[in-house]
Structure formats: structure tokens, C-alpha cells
Amino acid sequence: MNMNTKLNLSINSERLLKRLHELGRTGLDNDNKRTRLAASDGDKAGRDLLVTWMKEAGLQVEIDKIGNIFGIWYGSENRNEAPLLLGSHIDTVINAGMYDGCYGVLSGLEVINSLKEKGFIPTRPIAVGAFTNEEGVRYQPDMMGSLVYAGGLSADDALKSVGTDGTILGEELERIGYAGSKEPGFLKPHAYIELHVEQGPILDKMNIPVGAVENLQGISWQRITIEGVANHAGTTPTNMRRDAGLAAARVITYLRDQANASNGTTVATVGTIEFKPNAVNVIPSLATFTVDLRDPNEQRLKEEEKALANYLKELAISEEVSITTEQLVRFNPVTFDQTIVEMIEQAASGRGLHSRRMTSGAGHDAQMMARICPTAMIFVPSIDGISHNPKEFTKDTDLVAGANVLLDVVSNLAGN
Amino acid sequence: MNMNTKLNLSINSERLLKRLHELGRTGLDNDNKRTRLAASDGDKAGRDLLVTWMKEAGLQVEIDKIGNIFGIWYGSENRNEAPLLLGSHIDTVINAGMYDGCYGVLSGLEVINSLKEKGFIPTRPIAVGAFTNEEGVRYQPDMMGSLVYAGGLSADDALKSVGTDGTILGEELERIGYAGSKEPGFLKPHAYIELHVEQGPILDKMNIPVGAVENLQGISWQRITIEGVANHAGTTPTNMRRDAGLAAARVITYLRDQANASNGTTVATVGTIEFKPNAVNVIPSLATFTVDLRDPNEQRLKEEEKALANYLKELAISEEVSITTEQLVRFNPVTFDQTIVEMIEQAASGRGLHSRRMTSGAGHDAQMMARICPTAMIFVPSIDGISHNPKEFTKDTDLVAGANVLLDVVSNLAGN
């Protein structure tokens, strides 16, 4: 067994839960909705609280140019070792829950806090990070802080990003006091581990407390525009119709058929749609909709994209419509570090917790960090899979269990 | 053969076309778009022109309480006979073409004009009517003037109708000087004949100049609301989805399958749709769309409505969604008078014109008048079936041919 279970260490569950609720009370708007958009006043309130706790824990606090916050526990003998990095984000969507991101950051802090208090001697620095603008609601792209940190986007370009409210990210970070001086990437992690609520229903429905996240779905977003001919719904015989709305419906049912045929690896969603002219008695001349395709395997994701393109070609002929597509987003799937994933499984098992290997269906900072170091994620159940919503909920016992699994993995990776 | 072809009468095509263009130039808005919404200033301009022409033709002009305009040619010996009524409407949609409705009214006037000039002696009065608010854009319901005339709605109730601009129809009719004193229905027609552009593609595509319209489709409009569960597009496995958008797409493709299976009698259209929350990466929790179902046979229309209701029940179970429907509009099919339809065919044939029996896919004042007297319609081709659009177009030769067929039928029904 690994060291910590031998030492029988556990986190201070009361402190973790208390902090989670306290952070959750920052950024409430006039309607009492929790909204800490990146670099807003609400975000500043959350950041200030986090930095206070990091300092109380005796961590060295560093802010980089994109506003990522790091609290680092340097030991006297380990300054030359690559640090083990834990973390996530504390920015939120509009009217958010209190677990998404915050749980990972505060658990990382709690793990360090507990290890320090219990006299654990780390063989390498252990740090906890809160990445700027993971949600991407106010500034694009999402997962910005970790993307910049991993070298996928320059800090200068990211700081020029114009918000939905017309603000400039760089100016807003200055304003709230989080435009740091460190170069993004200044810490070269030995490994990165992100603990997160699942934001999906699998663990909850299967009653499994721990997900050992082995990969993260690739994401392909397309906007599809189908152009037919607007005609009178009563006077146009069926065989003379060029119905853009019908063609769109055929794409939606096709995508479900493909998802069903994939044995659960591919998921496909049409979440937005618009018809024009959108009148009860006029055949739609235009249908515009989005396709969100995901698969954890790049080869399969490419095959699905190609199959869709072929289907659209056939459909354009059979329905006498013209179809154009535009790629909106494309992320390759990410495979996490198998060694760490196994450690997560072992840690869960060591605590008598069931776990299952799983795929992350959502994007996370971990997918960016995987570019620069061995990375993995730990999931805990989200009741009914609800997230990005005040109803987001994870039971305290699951929160504590997940943080203890993180502690075990950390003490393994940073222990003797 | 009937009398007029023996007399070799024809309409004055130059006068008909000139008036069509002149009426078409009334009601142009600041963008030069033709918009004569019921009881608007544009409508008044059109009405004034029509009344002027009626008076020039020596007709007795009468306005009823709902603003319907009638120009009546009474002969010295025929005042006690039931009049033959021709007509349609001159109100338009927004940014309309110049043929819809106007062609029928002005052809009716032209037929009377020509018969009078040529010394035709009618055995019964011949009248031409322009019904108020056929389009139903500003005030609901559409086909209002003929509905009131046929006794389907009281004039008092109709006049209280509140417009999309907050106006009251009764007040607006007063304002433009067309709140008449005659009781709707004051003329009890011997028969009603409406000449109209097809507003569909059949005659144009088949290159047939005359449609002998034997019936008019029944119309069933429903709004269908499907409620599923909004969930994350990446983290929700396919088998745990309750996707309202997918269920809506299944209904759309089902309706096309039903229309295809009907051998062309049933047409089905989904012209409007909305998803909520309408986000790329969120499974739709709500899909709202409309269904426009039409069939010229009431029995078949009922069967289609029932089949759809059964399909929705099965779908609610298979997709784990809840579905509600709301009937928005329901008109029974109308069967026109077979004797007049045959006269139309004979008149076309007498002029060496091909004709075909057909169904009206659109609603017309004739469907209301059919409640109170033998009724039929004559269609002429609409290029590409385009209507309710400035591109609406019928060739002059087809316009003249249709008006001559009307003249022949009129001289048959009101001749010796």
C-alpha cells in the first residue's frame, strides 16, 4: 500500500465543506444567484477568499499574467523537484451551482493543508491552482487560463479578449488586482490531478462514488445550414416540396441512429435550431442548427464527422436542398495518464470505495494540462447529472470521499 | 354551347390588365412594398379606386356592416331574381403581390362591364363583391368578411376584433369610411364564383391554363409541445437522454411518411419550431412546433389527426417525454358545386383551353360562401407557385383566359 494509508491520513472534512459553502456565498447577484464570471467583481471576491486561505495554509501565492492563481507548498529539501499540481477553477457560469470547479480547487488546498498539518514530508512541492476563465461565458475561449498555461495560446492574445459586455480581459484583471507577473507555465508540473463533480448522471445512476477518468471526449461542433424553398403549406404538393425543416429533422434522427450504433462511445446532440420564415403555413426555406458530436477516440470521431458529411451529401440530393456546414469548435480527445488512473482506482479501493473507469464528457482544465504533463481526473457523483444550475448537488459523503482519494494519490506521487 | 360563345363575347383584356396594375400601385409603403392590410389607409385607397370603377360601370354600390363592398348590376326585369355573385378580396398581406384576390374582384367587374357593353341581357342581377379582411394579417380571423356574410360570425363580434397594432376593426372601418349599413347577407346569391391565382405550382408545372376547383382542403393546425430534460450534451449517455428536440424531429419525419403514403391527398407541414434552452451543448428540454395538416376529405383528415395523436402517445413512451397538443385552427374541407365545376370545364374547353379538376390548398372566401349558395372557383397558373410575395406572377394571357372562362360561366348562369 502507499504511504498515506499506512499513515492513515484523511482530510479535514469539516473545513473542506465549510470553505465550499463560504466560497459558494461569494458572487451572489441582486437576485441571490451565484455568478462569478471571469475577472468580474464576483470573481475577485472568490479569488480574495482563496488567496486568504492559501496564505493561512502557509503556501507561497503566485499569480501569472493570465491571472491563474497558484498556492505552492515548498518543502525545505524539495525546491528542485517538479511540483505536483492539483486544481481546477473558481469562475462560474451565470446562476451556477457551488461545486463545479470550486470543489477541485478547495480539495487540492485541503489536501495540502491536511498533509502539512499531519507532518507529511513531500518529496516534491505540492501546489494547488485556480485557472482563469474556465467557463468561457464572459470571454472566449473557455478553459482559457489552462490553455495559456499549457502554451496553446499566448497570454498577450488572451488578455486582448473582448467580453460579452465589451470589456477587455486584461483591463479587468488589472482592475480586480489579478494581473500577475509570472509567466504562464512557470511551474513545470510533475503531474496534474483535477478532482471534479461529474456533471453527468453515470456515477449517480450506478451508485458508484468514484470515477477514475481515463480520457476526455473529443468535441466537434458544427453549424449546419439547409436551404430549401419557402412555399405555401396548402398548395404545394408533397412531391414538389424542398423542405429545409424536414431535411433538418432527418439529420437529427440520423445522428441518434449513429449514436445508438456506436455502443455508447459517440454522443450526438442537436441543441439549437431555427426555421425561416418560421410561419405555420409556410414550408421552411431555411433551417439552421448545431451538431455537437463527441467521442473519446479521435479515429471514431473523425469517422462520425465523415459519415455525417456523406449523409448530408445524400440528403441534399434526395431532398433537393443545399447544405452548408461550418466548424465551430474542434477539440481532439485526450487520453489521461494510465499510471495515475490506476493509482486513483487503487486509492478508491484502499478506502473501500467502488470506482469505475470513465470518460469525461465535458471539457476541463485537465485537457489542457495533459499537453504538458501526466494528467488525470477524479469524478464524484452529480445528483441527476445536473450542473451549471443552482440545483447542482453532490452529497457531503461523496465530496469527502473524493477528496480523500485525491489525498491518497497525492501522498503516493509526492511521498517516499 | 352556351349563349355567350354563340355571341362570341370576350372581356376587354386591356382594361382588366390596366386596372390590375393600377390597383396594384395603391398601398405602397415607404419602401415601395405593397401592403394593404384590412381597414388601413392602403386598403382605403384600393377600396376607393374599386368603388370609382364600379360606379363608372353603372353598378349600384352597397357596403355592409363588416365593410364588404358590392357592385350590383340590376336589370330592369330581374330585380326579383337571386343575383349571381362574383368576387374575392383586395386586402393584402405585408409586401404582397398584385394578383391574390384583386384578380378575382377586377375580373368580376370586367365581366359585368363587358356583358353590359355588349348588350347582354341577364336573367338575374350580377354582382361583384370585395370581402373585408380575407388575409387576416391585421385582424383575426382571416376570411372574416365572407365568414360574417355567410352568417358564421356576427358583425358585432367581428367589428370588436383588436388588430396587431391595437386598433379596433370597427373604428378603423369608420375612419376609412367603409362602415356600411347593409346587413351582411343582404344579397342571397343564386351562386358564387371566385376566380383566383392558384398560389401553388400545379397548373404552372403541368402547363395547364385553367383549374376547375372542385373542393378545398380541410385544415388542421396544432401546436405540439414536447417536454424532455435538459442535460449536458457531453456527459449524458444516449440511453439516459430525454431529448425533446429528437422527439420533435421524429414527428416531422413521421408526418412526411404519412403524406407520402396518402397518394398526394394529405399534405403536412411543420413550419415553425423552437427549442429551449437552445444551446449548442445542452439537450433540449422543450421543443415547440406547429403542424399544418390538410386533406380535401374530412374522413381522411380525421384519420390523419387520429394517427398523429396515436403516434405522439407511442413517442412519449419511447422517448420518455411528455407531449401536449393544442388545436389552433380547424376548418372542414369544402366540396364545391359539381354543376358549376362542370360548366367551368366546358367553358375552358369551348375556348380551346386545357383544364384540370383540382383542390384548393389555400383558404378562400369561396369556402365561406359555399355555406349559403352553390359555389365554385376557377384557378389560373401562378408561376412557380409563388404567392404572398412581390414575385407572385401570372402571365397576361393566363389572366385574360381565366377572365373569359369566368365570363362564359356567368353568361351561362345568368343568360337565357
Side-chain angles (χ1 to χ4, degrees), chain B residues 122-195:
Chain B
T123 55
R124 59 182 69 257
I126 307 176
V128 55
F131 292 105
T132 295
N133 189 33
E134 193 270 350
E135 297 291 1
V137 174
R138 191 177 183 202
Y139 302 99
Q140 286 292 323
D142 55 356
M143 298 172 282
M144 184 192 275
S146 50
L147 178 64
V148 169
Y149 197 82
L153 174 67
S154 79
D156 284 350
D157 285 347
L159 291 169
K160 287 177 195 152
S161 174
V162 178
T164 51
D165 52 0
T167 56
I168 310 288
L169 174 58
E171 295 174 6
E172 283 290 280
L173 281 173
E174 287 278 0
R175 185 181 68 80
I176 67 166
Y178 284 89
S181 56
K182 288 282 180 185
E183 282 301 325
F186 72 99
L187 288 178
K188 304 286 179 205
H190 174 67
Y192 174 73
I193 306 171
E194 183 165 353
L195 174 62

Side-chain angles (χ1 to χ4, degrees), chain A residues 294-312:
Chain A
R294 306 193 190 202
D295 195 291
N297 180 288
E298 174 65 14
Q299 185 55 34
R300 281 198 304 263
L301 185 57
K302 276 186 180 156
E303 281 164 13
E304 289 295 349
E305 290 176 316
K306 196 170 172 195
L308 174 59
N310 287 336
Y311 180 77
L312 295 177

Side-chain angles (χ1 to χ4, degrees), chain B residues 63-80:
Chain B
I63 316 289
D64 71 11
K65 289 183 172 171
I66 193 65
N68 297 323
I69 302 172
F70 299 93
I72 312 163
W73 177 24
Y74 287 110
S76 50
E77 313 263 316
N78 69 17
R79 289 201 162 253
N80 295 327

Side-chain angles (χ1 to χ4, degrees), chain B residues 48-292:
Chain B
D48 288 352
L49 199 56
L50 175 64
V51 167
T52 303
W53 289 330
M54 284 175 166
K55 287 181 176 166
E56 283 174 11
L59 307 188
Q60 182 172 326
V61 176
E62 303 284 4
I63 316 289
D64 71 11
K65 289 183 172 171
I66 193 65
N68 297 323
I69 302 172
F70 299 93
I72 312 163
W73 177 24
Y74 287 110
S76 50
E77 313 263 316
N78 69 17
R79 289 201 162 253
N80 295 327
E81 301 297 325
L84 177 61
L85 183 59
L86 317 176
S88 192
H89 63 95
I90 63 167
D91 70 311
T92 73
V93 296
I94 294 165
N95 196 19
M98 71 178 202
Y99 302 93
D100 179 358
C102 301
Y103 171 55
V105 172
L106 295 180
S107 293
L109 176 60
E110 177 53 41
V111 163
I112 296 173
N113 247 183
S114 293
L115 289 175
K116 275 191 86 173
E117 288 167 358
K118 303 286 167 68
F120 179 87
I121 299 169
T123 55
R124 59 182 69 257
I126 307 176
V128 55
F131 292 105
T132 295
N133 189 33
E134 193 270 350
E135 297 291 1
V137 174
R138 191 177 183 202
Y139 302 99
Q140 286 292 323
D142 55 356
M143 298 172 282
M144 184 192 275
S146 50
L147 178 64
V148 169
Y149 197 82
L153 174 67
S154 79
D156 284 350
D157 285 347
L159 291 169
K160 287 177 195 152
S161 174
V162 178
T164 51
D165 52 0
T167 56
I168 310 288
L169 174 58
E171 295 174 6
E172 283 290 280
L173 281 173
E174 287 278 0
R175 185 181 68 80
I176 67 166
Y178 284 89
S181 56
K182 288 282 180 185
E183 282 301 325
F186 72 99
L187 288 178
K188 304 286 179 205
H190 174 67
Y192 174 73
I193 306 171
E194 183 165 353
L195 174 62
H196 208 284
V197 293
E198 182 194 336
Q199 303 183 278
I202 298 171
L203 294 175
D204 178 39
K205 295 270 196 254
M206 300 183 79
N207 203 23
I208 293 174
V210 175
V213 185
E214 62 182 347
N215 53 18
L216 187 141
Q217 288 173 332
I219 302 178
S220 169
W221 283 7
Q222 294 178 64
R223 180 180 292 120
I224 299 182
T225 303
I226 302 183
E227 201 178 337
V229 176
N231 267 314
H232 191 293
T235 62
T236 313
T238 302
N239 62 11
M240 292 184 190
R241 292 175 178 227
R242 297 167 64 187
D243 185 334
L246 172 75
R250 294 212 189 285
V251 178
I252 296 172
T253 62
Y254 163 84
L255 287 167
R256 172 56 67 93
D257 292 343
Q258 289 292 107
N260 283 338
S262 77
N263 283 322
T265 69
T266 303
V267 289
T269 307
V270 173
T272 78
I273 197 163
E274 187 188 11
F275 283 1
K276 281 185 181 170
N278 207 45
V280 180
N281 61 347
V282 182
I283 296 162
S285 58
L286 207 76
T288 308
F289 57 100
T290 51
V291 174
D292 175 315

Side-chain angles (χ1 to χ4, degrees), chain A residues 59-309:
Chain A
L59 307 188
Q60 181 172 327
V61 176
E62 303 284 4
I63 317 289
D64 71 11
K65 289 183 172 171
I66 194 65
N68 297 323
I69 302 171
F70 299 92
I72 312 164
W73 176 24
Y74 287 110
S76 50
E77 313 263 315
N78 68 17
R79 288 202 163 251
N80 295 328
E81 301 298 323
L84 176 61
L85 182 60
L86 317 176
S88 193
H89 63 94
I90 64 166
D91 70 310
T92 73
V93 297
I94 295 165
N95 196 19
M98 71 178 203
Y99 302 92
D100 179 357
C102 302
Y103 171 53
V105 172
L106 296 180
S107 293
L109 176 61
E110 177 53 41
V111 163
I112 295 172
N113 246 182
S114 292
L115 288 175
K116 276 192 85 173
E117 288 168 357
K118 302 286 168 66
F120 179 85
I121 299 170
T123 56
R124 58 182 70 258
I126 306 176
V128 55
F131 292 105
T132 295
N133 190 33
E134 194 269 350
E135 297 291 2
V137 173
R138 192 178 182 201
Y139 302 99
Q140 287 291 322
D142 54 356
M143 296 172 282
M144 183 191 275
S146 50
L147 179 64
V148 169
Y149 196 83
L153 174 67
S154 79
D156 285 350
D157 285 347
L159 291 169
K160 287 177 194 152
S161 175
V162 178
T164 51
D165 52 1
T167 56
I168 310 289
L169 174 58
E171 294 174 7
E172 284 289 279
L173 281 174
E174 287 278 0
R175 185 181 69 79
I176 68 166
Y178 283 89
S181 57
K182 288 282 179 186
E183 282 301 326
F186 73 100
L187 287 178
K188 305 285 180 207
H190 173 68
Y192 174 73
I193 306 171
E194 184 166 352
L195 173 63
H196 207 285
V197 292
E198 182 194 336
Q199 301 183 279
I202 299 172
L203 293 175
D204 178 40
K205 295 270 197 254
M206 299 182 80
N207 203 24
I208 293 176
V210 175
V213 186
E214 60 181 347
N215 53 20
L216 187 141
Q217 288 173 332
I219 302 178
S220 169
W221 283 7
Q222 294 178 63
R223 180 180 292 120
I224 298 183
T225 304
I226 301 183
E227 201 177 338
V229 176
N231 266 315
H232 191 292
T235 63
T236 313
T238 302
N239 60 12
M240 293 184 190
R241 292 176 179 225
R242 296 166 65 187
D243 185 334
L246 173 75
R250 294 213 189 286
V251 178
I252 296 172
T253 61
Y254 163 84
L255 287 168
R256 172 55 67 94
D257 292 344
Q258 290 291 107
N260 283 338
S262 77
N263 282 324
T265 69
T266 303
V267 290
T269 306
V270 173
T272 79
I273 196 163
E274 187 187 13
F275 283 0
K276 281 185 181 171
N278 207 44
V280 179
N281 61 347
V282 181
I283 297 162
S285 58
L286 207 76
T288 308
F289 57 100
T290 51
V291 174
D292 175 315
L293 262 180
R294 306 193 190 202
D295 195 291
N297 180 288
E298 174 65 14
Q299 185 55 34
R300 281 198 304 263
L301 185 57
K302 276 186 180 156
E303 281 164 13
E304 289 295 349
E305 290 176 316
K306 196 170 172 195
L308 174 59

